[in-house]
Amino acid sequence: MNSTMSPNYIPKVSVIVPVYNTERYVERAIISLMEQTLDDVQFIIIDDGSKDNSLNIIKQVIARYPARQGQVTLISRENRGVAATRAQGMELATGDYVIHLDSDDWAELNWLEALYTKAIEDNADVVVCNFYSVLKKKQLLFTQTIPEDNLECVRMLLTGNISNMNWDKMVRRGLFEEHKIQFHVGYNMGEDFLITFLVLFNSKIITHVDSGLYFYNKSNDSSLTSYYSEDSFSSLLTITALLEDYLQNTPELHSLRNEINHFKLNTISLRIIHSAGHPHDIEMAFSLYPELNKLIYTSEFKMLKVMYFLKKSKLLYLAKYILAARVFKIRVLTYMFK
């Protein structure tokens, strides 16, 4: 299904939707797009080699909205990974602004209109919204405080106080072209983080809509972000190296050093959490950035402090029991390392 838009036509917003095996959720996602209150939109939906019924469901939903069909570019091809899919979407995008939607998530019907209106009002490079984290039994609102200064936004990104996602940020498309910002094909874990870093770092005007407009579906156990393979961690390390390379020989590298170290410690922590308590894997986690081990006891990462204590005390065989105990950080460990 190809869009009937002229290739020279510039819609207000382009929405890029990568799809891979989300037949349980994709109907809700596409309906939330087709019913957006903003009319002038380009929808780029790319089925990345799904082996389930996702593509047929998408076609059926689009057929219900004849007024939208001319705005939709629907592509189905072999699997190339989410980064390559987002990159292809960016090549096809012609809108003044661009944003992404993941096919197991959904958005409020005024998601695009609220963000675009704010972008025009403030002449913004980036507009950020709040979002809901959807768990199996509840929804949690994630409220983001967005400083006006772009470097402060980068600090908050590195420390986890601004999300690394692309779906809560509407970005002026020209920013990608002016600063040659591209998705790194082949790195399917952390690619959102690097793009968000580059976008915030190079933006002059960053603004915020203080409303929860997007629903991040964390109840999908098969999503990429719920599973960390060895390749995933390798990608995270490479993405971090690319970030430091980008900042090389800039004053910002020194200015952001504490926040970059925080991000690296978080990567070590994440690797340990997904180690299932195997001592060898935990030892490997601490070898990722050995120069940072001296900072662990002064950091805010309680679990990391405990695991490093076990490593130094040759007690890593206890790690699996501690990691299995969901309440470990509440009492005993807080007392040990307060």
Side-chain angles (χ1 to χ4, degrees), residues 105-286:
D105 301 340
W106 71 100
E108 292 282 12
L109 301 188
N110 66 332
W111 171 55
L112 297 178
E113 183 174 12
L115 289 171
Y116 180 77
T117 299
K118 185 66 172 174
I120 297 303
E121 286 176 356
D122 295 348
N123 192 28
D125 294 313
V126 185
V127 185
V128 185
C129 69
N130 302 331
F131 63 90
Y132 293 93
S133 184
V134 181
L135 308 176
K136 289 185 178 179
K137 294 185 178 180
K138 59 183 177 180
Q139 297 180 0
L140 302 175
L141 177 63
F142 190 92
T143 301
Q144 307 188 82
T145 300
I146 307 300
E148 292 183 2
D149 181 72
N150 67 322
L151 202 59
E152 287 304 310
C153 286
V154 171
R155 292 186 199 282
M156 294 181 71
L157 171 70
L158 288 164
T159 55
N161 294 303
I162 290 177
S163 92
N164 64 333
M165 304 301 187
N166 299 144
W167 34 248
D168 62 338
K169 300 170 186 73
M170 184 175 285
V171 183
R172 183 174 59 83
R173 186 170 59 87
L175 190 76
F176 290 90
E177 299 171 351
E178 293 158 14
H179 298 280
K180 297 180 172 57
I181 300 172
Q182 297 178 321
F183 284 89
H184 284 258
V185 175
Y187 301 123
N188 291 321
M189 184 63 69
E191 91 287 351
D192 280 0
F193 168 79
L194 183 61
I195 293 296
T196 300
F197 164 78
L198 293 172
V199 162
L200 294 178
F201 185 82
N202 288 291
S203 292
K204 291 183 173 62
I205 301 176
I206 303 170
T207 189
H208 179 231
V209 173
D210 191 20
S211 301
L213 298 176
Y214 191 93
F215 295 87
Y216 174 30
N217 179 16
K218 298 193 75 172
S219 65
N220 179 9
D221 295 331
S222 63
S223 73
L224 190 63
T225 52
S226 69
Y227 174 71
Y228 288 80
S229 64
E230 289 302 322
D231 285 345
S232 300
F233 284 106
S234 177
S235 291
L236 279 176
L237 297 179
T238 303
I239 291 296
T240 305
L242 289 170
L243 183 155
E244 289 189 288
D245 287 345
Y246 185 84
L247 292 174
Q248 198 65 38
N249 301 320
T250 69
E252 287 84 2
L253 179 60
H254 176 74
S255 174
L256 294 168
R257 176 51 61 191
N258 288 338
E259 289 78 16
I260 292 171
N261 287 344
H262 183 283
F263 182 78
K264 290 179 174 180
L265 288 173
N266 191 55
T267 301
I268 297 171
S269 182
L270 190 65
R271 184 69 182 86
I272 291 173
I273 289 170
H274 287 268
S275 71
H278 296 303
H280 174 70
D281 291 342
I282 295 174
E283 292 276 6
M284 286 184 61
F286 284 118

